């Protein structure tokens, strides 16, 4: 979630993790950088099992995903459909970064391949 959107999320609002599990915001804090401005927002949430979990604003989403990029939407769809994969690997941030790099590289390869096909014609 972008910082500008995270600023407009309030206690009691619903947000979602990468598995699209509903989370209720019960607290919100701004972490400040050494330069004085804040660099991230952390949400304290309660999930459907009443567990308290903290999430960085980069790791949560609004229900419509309208403001998210294509690679982020693809990541969410993949994570949601492959939840059992995360039973073996608990480094979601690392898996997310690898997935998004592969997603972008796939488009770059497809574009390169399309150009090569056009040159051959």
């Amino acid at each position: 979630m972008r910082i500008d959107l995270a600023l407009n999320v309030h206690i009691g609002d619903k947000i979602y993790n990468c598995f699209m599990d509903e989370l209720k915001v019960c607290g919100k804090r701004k972490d400040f950088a050494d330069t004085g401005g804040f660099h991230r927002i952390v949400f304290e949430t309660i999930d459907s099992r009443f567990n308290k979990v903290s999430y960085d604003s980069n790791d949560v989403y609004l229900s419509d995903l309208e403001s998210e990029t294509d690679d982020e939407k693809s990541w969410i769809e993949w994570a949601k459909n492959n939840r059992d994969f995360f039973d073996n690997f608990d480094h979601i941030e690392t898996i997310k970064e690898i997935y998004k790099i592969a997603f972008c590289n796939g488009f770059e390869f497809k574009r390169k391949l399309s150009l090569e096909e056009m040159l051959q014609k």
Side-chain angles (χ1 to χ4, degrees), residues 50 52 121:
F50 300 105
K52 279 190 149 186
K121 292 180 181 180

mmCIF file of all heavy atoms in Angstrom, residues 50 52 121:
data_model
loop_
_atom_site.group_PDB
_atom_site.id
_atom_site.type_symbol
_atom_site.label_atom_id
_atom_site.label_comp_id
_atom_site.label_asym_id
_atom_site.label_seq_id
_atom_site.Cartn_x
_atom_site.Cartn_y
_atom_site.Cartn_z
ATOM 1 N N PHE A 50 -8.550 -13.645 15.919
ATOM 2 C CA PHE A 50 -8.272 -12.722 17.018
ATOM 3 C C PHE A 50 -6.804 -12.698 17.425
ATOM 4 O O PHE A 50 -6.473 -12.425 18.575
ATOM 5 C CB PHE A 50 -9.175 -13.012 18.224
ATOM 6 C CG PHE A 50 -10.630 -12.886 17.892
ATOM 7 C CD1 PHE A 50 -11.410 -14.023 17.740
ATOM 8 C CD2 PHE A 50 -11.209 -11.653 17.696
ATOM 9 C CE1 PHE A 50 -12.760 -13.922 17.408
ATOM 10 C CE2 PHE A 50 -12.548 -11.541 17.353
ATOM 11 C CZ PHE A 50 -13.325 -12.677 17.217
ATOM 12 N N LYS A 52 -3.194 -10.870 17.192
ATOM 13 C CA LYS A 52 -2.654 -9.545 16.899
ATOM 14 C C LYS A 52 -1.402 -9.716 16.050
ATOM 15 O O LYS A 52 -0.500 -10.467 16.418
ATOM 16 C CB LYS A 52 -2.303 -8.801 18.179
ATOM 17 C CG LYS A 52 -3.460 -8.152 18.852
ATOM 18 C CD LYS A 52 -2.972 -7.243 19.957
ATOM 19 C CE LYS A 52 -3.933 -6.089 20.095
ATOM 20 N NZ LYS A 52 -3.451 -5.095 21.038
ATOM 21 N N LYS A 121 10.054 -11.217 -39.672
ATOM 22 C CA LYS A 121 8.974 -11.104 -40.659
ATOM 23 C C LYS A 121 9.372 -10.086 -41.645
ATOM 24 O O LYS A 121 9.454 -9.732 -42.581
ATOM 25 C CB LYS A 121 7.668 -10.727 -40.008
ATOM 26 C CG LYS A 121 7.126 -11.837 -39.141
ATOM 27 C CD LYS A 121 5.826 -11.426 -38.517
ATOM 28 C CE LYS A 121 5.321 -12.554 -37.627
ATOM 29 N NZ LYS A 121 4.089 -12.231 -36.990
#
